[in-house]
Amino acid sequence: MQALHLLALDPVSETTADGDSYGFRKGRAARDALQQRFLALSRRTMPKWILEADIKGCFDNISHDWLLQHIPMDRQVLRKWLKAGFVYKAQWFPTKAGTPQGGIASPTLANMVLDGLEERLLRRFPYRRPEGRLKVHIIRYADDFIITGRSTELLEQAKAEVEAFLAERGLVFSPEKTKITHISEGFDFLGFNVRTYKSKLLIKPSKDAQDRVWRKVRDIIRSNKTARQDELIGLLNPVIRGWAYYHRHAVSARAFGKLDSLIWKALWRWAKRRHPCKRKQWIKDRYFPALGSRAWVFACRDGLRDRHGQPGFLSLAKAADIKIRRHVKIRADANPYDRHWKSYFAGRRSVVTGSPTDL
């Protein structure tokens, strides 16, 4: 039922959405928000102060009354969704606020709740004023967003404006995650760290993002001490490739190399533990053969043969093999449901990017 109503609601959401909103929308992704950050902050004349904003329990605290009054769909159906409650450990819990738990329409509903914030800030802080540009811009991904400004005082005013906007919808800022930061100190957003180094803006994978992927890889290796080599490679490759493809639109070469180095050391320990009585050369030949011009590749034979009749190998993916590519941001006013944008989206999909996640 939610899927059927979403077919009609999503085009409305796309038509009325904020231009610099990138989360849970067709044809948009975190890489578009990443590129917009770069465009907004990379020039020397751009704003130097950032309001890092996070909404406390956004999906769980949206006002039902606001949703029922402003979402353009059958109110009886929407009310049933909102008041249905949820079951946890065989016990039913009522829902007095928030969007349906796990519902496929929830991201669209949440986006529609926050749409209009960009226009409100534009009215309150227009681009041009007699005293100069205020440089107030908002970049939002779902309920996580940043606001730029030329001074801390200006961002305090913007924060108050946003607080009033959220209060109408039953939402509040998370005090622990909401703060004003200078661009030279840097801030984390969507798994990336944004910071200027000697007036040059660099966007890199954040330290937390690097630590998380390393802990995940390490746990996989530790929990598969007796697994076959091909099984371990099958578990590690999706994690390595997925993380690298997500971060390849930033300054990530050093982070990729560091991850590959840590993984190699962990796998060498994994191999030595399996054969404590074998010489290092034997372990190297067994688990780290040379493939082509590359030595020390964690690989094993996969039972297949290549076009030349030579034995095939299943090898571990390397993050450093993923090429760094600058992403072309989607147009702010692009609408996938508008026929005038059909050729534009077709052109974006036809670009050969090397990864289906970039389409």
Side-chain angles (χ1 to χ4, degrees):
M1 181 64 74
Q2 285 196 25
L4 290 174
H5 282 271
L6 186 59
L7 290 174
L9 186 62
D10 197 49
V12 178
S13 173
E14 283 292 333
T15 304
T16 60
D18 290 344
D20 282 328
S21 166
Y22 300 99
F24 304 115
R25 295 180 59 189
K26 293 183 183 299
R28 300 179 182 231
R31 57 188 173 273
D32 292 298
L34 172 71
Q35 186 63 14
Q36 179 62 21
R37 276 176 300 174
F38 182 80
L39 295 174
L41 300 171
S42 60
R43 300 174 185 173
R44 292 186 178 182
T45 58
M46 289 295 104
K48 304 301 181 183
W49 292 94
I50 309 296
L51 171 63
E52 303 175 61
D54 185 84
I55 301 173
K56 185 176 182 180
C58 177
F59 285 81
D60 298 329
N61 296 307
I62 298 173
S63 169
H64 284 180
D65 290 338
W66 193 95
L67 286 168
L68 291 170
Q69 293 176 14
H70 295 88
I71 300 300
M73 63 168 290
D74 189 302
R75 291 186 180 180
Q76 294 298 324
V77 174
L78 180 58
R79 181 179 288 107
K80 291 178 181 179
W81 290 356
L82 299 176
K83 303 299 183 181
F86 64 95
V87 176
Y88 179 69
K89 291 185 177 180
Q91 184 177 355
W92 179 82
F93 294 87
T95 48
K96 299 180 180 180
T99 53
Q101 295 281 338
I104 62 173
S106 294
T108 300
L109 293 174
N111 265 337
M112 297 186 76
V113 169
L114 297 176
D115 285 334
L117 180 56
E118 186 176 324
E119 182 181 354
R120 182 160 177 164
L121 288 175
L122 181 60
R123 290 198 307 266
R124 177 67 174 82
F125 308 100
Y127 289 146
R128 296 183 181 273
R129 282 191 173 189
E131 63 272 24
R133 293 188 177 185
L134 301 181
K135 303 175 183 178
V136 175
H137 305 282
I138 180 172
I139 304 170
R140 179 167 66 87
Y141 188 91
D143 60 331
D144 196 6
F145 59 91
I146 62 171
I147 300 176
T148 66
R150 70 180 186 183
S151 67
T152 57
E153 295 78 10
L154 182 63
L155 287 181
E156 288 290 353
Q157 298 176 30
K159 181 180 178 182
E161 191 72 21
V162 177
E163 285 178 332
F165 177 90
L166 296 178
E168 299 171 1
R169 293 151 173 79
L171 302 172
V172 296
F173 277 131
S174 173
E176 301 84 7
K177 300 180 180 179
T178 302
K179 57 184 178 180
I180 297 176
T181 308
H182 194 271
I183 190 63
S184 62
E185 300 175 10
F187 64 94
D188 291 347
F189 186 63
L190 301 179
F192 296 89
N193 179 262
V194 184
R195 181 181 174 185
T196 55
Y197 298 82
K198 297 181 180 180
S199 300
K200 183 176 182 179
L201 182 76
L202 294 181
I203 302 178
K204 306 177 180 180
S206 68
K207 188 177 184 301
D208 287 342
Q210 295 182 58
D211 290 342
R212 282 195 302 271
V213 69
W214 163 237
R215 287 195 299 267
K216 186 173 184 178
V217 168
R218 182 191 60 191
D219 292 343
I220 291 174
I221 296 173
R222 287 180 176 178
S223 60
N224 288 275
K225 295 178 180 179
T226 60
R228 298 198 313 269
Q229 188 179 9
D230 61 331
E231 293 176 343
L232 183 59
I233 293 174
L235 293 172
L236 292 175
N237 277 356
V239 177
I240 297 170
R241 289 197 181 104
W243 189 84
Y245 273 118
Y246 179 80
H247 290 90
R248 72 166 178 162
H249 302 292
V251 183
S252 306
R254 181 173 295 182
F256 288 177
K258 180 181 178 181
L259 177 62
D260 288 336
S261 177
L262 291 172
I263 294 174
W264 185 92
K265 293 177 181 178
L267 291 175
W268 178 246
R269 291 192 296 268
W270 175 88
K272 289 197 301 181
R273 188 185 299 114
R274 293 167 69 91
H275 304 282
C277 299
K278 295 290 187 178
R279 294 181 297 109
K280 292 182 179 179
Q281 184 62 43
W282 185 94
I283 297 174
K284 188 266 182 190
D285 295 338
R286 170 67 175 78
Y287 293 101
F288 297 89
L291 297 182
S293 61
R294 179 175 291 177
W296 289 90
V297 180
F298 189 72
C300 62
R301 293 188 177 182
D302 57 8
L304 303 176
R305 292 186 176 273
D306 60 19
R307 60 181 180 178
H308 302 295
Q310 298 298 321
F313 283 85
L314 175 66
S315 61
L316 183 74
K318 290 177 64 69
D321 288 341
I322 307 299
K323 295 182 179 180
I324 306 299
R325 298 176 64 106
R326 182 66 67 195
H327 176 67
V328 179
K329 187 187 78 71
I330 191 171
R331 292 273 298 274
D333 53 346
N335 187 340
Y337 294 102
D338 188 337
R339 63 184 179 86
H340 296 293
W341 291 97
K342 184 177 180 180
S343 60
Y344 172 78
F345 281 99
R348 287 181 66 86
R349 287 192 296 268
S350 65
V351 174
V352 179
T353 60
S355 168
T357 60
D358 287 331
L359 296 179

